[in-house]
Amino acid sequence: MIKYVLMLFFFTGCMASISNKEIKILPELYIAQIDSAKHLMQTGDIIFRGGTDIESAVIREFSKTDKLFSHCGILLIDNDSLKVHHILGGKDNPKGSVIIESLDSFTVYPQNENMGIYRTNLSMIEINAVKFFIDSVKSKKVIFDIKFDNKSKEKLYCTELVIDALLYATKNKMIFNDTSFYVRNTKYHFLINNKDSFTFFPIDQFQHSAYLTKVKDFIFPLDKHQ
């Protein structure tokens, strides 16, 4: 039971969804920020966000240089509709399947305290390949990987899904390095399957990779009325 609780505590940060029932009055500055962001976005951009819950704070612990964000997805524009494609699980997505949701839902405040737009500069042919890849992942019913296992493709976690889509679209022309974390005798021991460490693609390492260019980061305002 303790092991299950620790697992749930860790992985929901990278995949915590947004419940509209928790939304109160959004501050005008936040609304202006989102409207400004939408004018900067292009299809194929990677959208990062930083959750405000304790689970997202745990995810940030596995970023070594930049702990701003805790989750990411890829933006695909369909008929002028901004849709973020990502994978998560938890109570709001118990099936752990790939989710396609609006930008407003993906970055909603105050459940998220920031957002980042990072450009991939993919060609339209490559964008279409990304769409095909994500559709294939959905059709295969790939679910969220709570073990963060890079070898298993039947389950994927947030950065892994996006990276695999980029590799597929560019025919493996991009190179993304994973990182090992020593977690024996820590509360994250459940990740390692009787080994000393686990290996995955941390948010910050992906965020600052050579293939992504920062367009703009947004730090959302604190709403004193909440």
Side-chain angles (χ1 to χ4, degrees):
M1 179 64 182
I2 295 176
K3 178 179 178 181
Y4 174 77
V5 171
L6 287 174
M7 291 172 66
L8 184 63
F9 174 77
F10 182 81
F11 75 77
T12 52
C14 191
M15 49 180 163
S17 183
I18 303 303
S19 173
N20 289 330
K21 296 180 181 178
E22 300 175 3
I23 301 173
K24 297 182 180 179
I25 300 174
L26 297 179
E28 292 183 0
L29 179 55
Y30 163 75
I31 295 173
Q33 287 176 306
I34 291 299
D35 287 342
S36 173
K38 289 178 180 178
H39 287 92
L40 297 174
M41 292 179 179
Q42 295 180 9
T43 191
D45 285 348
I46 308 303
I47 309 300
F48 292 86
R49 74 182 186 195
T52 55
D53 54 17
I54 190 171
E55 292 86 0
S56 295
V58 172
I59 291 296
R60 289 184 174 97
E61 291 185 19
F62 291 91
S63 288
K64 293 184 176 180
T65 61
D66 189 333
K67 300 181 184 295
L68 186 62
F69 302 120
S70 58
H71 187 55
C72 68
I74 187 164
L75 180 79
L76 297 175
I77 301 176
D78 184 16
N79 294 324
D80 295 327
S81 180
L82 305 179
K83 298 293 185 181
V84 182
H85 297 63
H86 61 117
I87 192 165
L88 50 76
K91 62 182 180 62
D92 292 311
N93 187 39
K95 292 183 179 180
S97 56
V98 172
I99 286 183
I100 301 174
E101 64 180 324
S102 69
L103 176 73
D104 295 311
S105 175
F106 184 79
T107 60
V108 70
Y109 174 88
Q111 289 88 342
N112 294 286
E113 61 186 0
N114 54 51
M115 173 187 67
I117 307 170
Y118 287 71
R119 187 133 301 150
T120 57
N121 291 318
L122 297 175
S123 68
M124 284 310 302
I125 292 177
E126 291 168 335
I127 292 293
N128 289 331
V130 166
K131 293 178 180 178
F132 178 85
F133 177 84
I134 293 178
D135 286 342
S136 68
V137 168
K138 289 185 63 181
S139 66
K140 294 175 183 177
K141 301 186 184 302
V142 171
I143 61 174
F144 186 83
D145 186 2
I146 64 174
K147 288 288 188 178
F148 293 84
D149 180 5
N150 291 342
K151 295 181 180 180
S152 172
K153 295 307 174 182
E154 295 179 355
K155 298 180 180 181
L156 301 171
Y157 54 90
C158 60
T159 49
E160 187 181 17
L161 170 68
V162 177
I163 286 174
D164 283 0
L166 294 177
L167 292 176
Y168 177 84
T170 62
K171 299 181 180 180
N172 294 314
K173 292 180 180 178
M174 296 180 175
I175 299 175
F176 297 99
N177 297 316
D178 52 20
T179 298
S180 294
F181 292 88
Y182 184 87
V183 292
R184 181 172 292 281
N185 297 324
T186 74
K187 58 186 175 183
Y188 309 119
H189 180 73
F190 64 86
L191 290 168
I192 58 180
N193 294 320
N194 297 319
K195 297 180 181 179
D196 290 330
S197 62
F198 78 103
T199 302
F200 86 126
F201 299 104
I203 290 285
D204 66 329
Q205 195 160 292
F206 176 49
Q207 170 194 352
H208 295 296
S209 67
Y211 305 101
L212 300 186
T213 302
K214 183 174 78 171
V215 176
K216 189 172 183 178
D217 291 339
F218 292 83
I219 308 300
F220 299 151
L222 294 176
D223 184 358
K224 296 180 181 180
H225 299 290
Q226 293 289 335

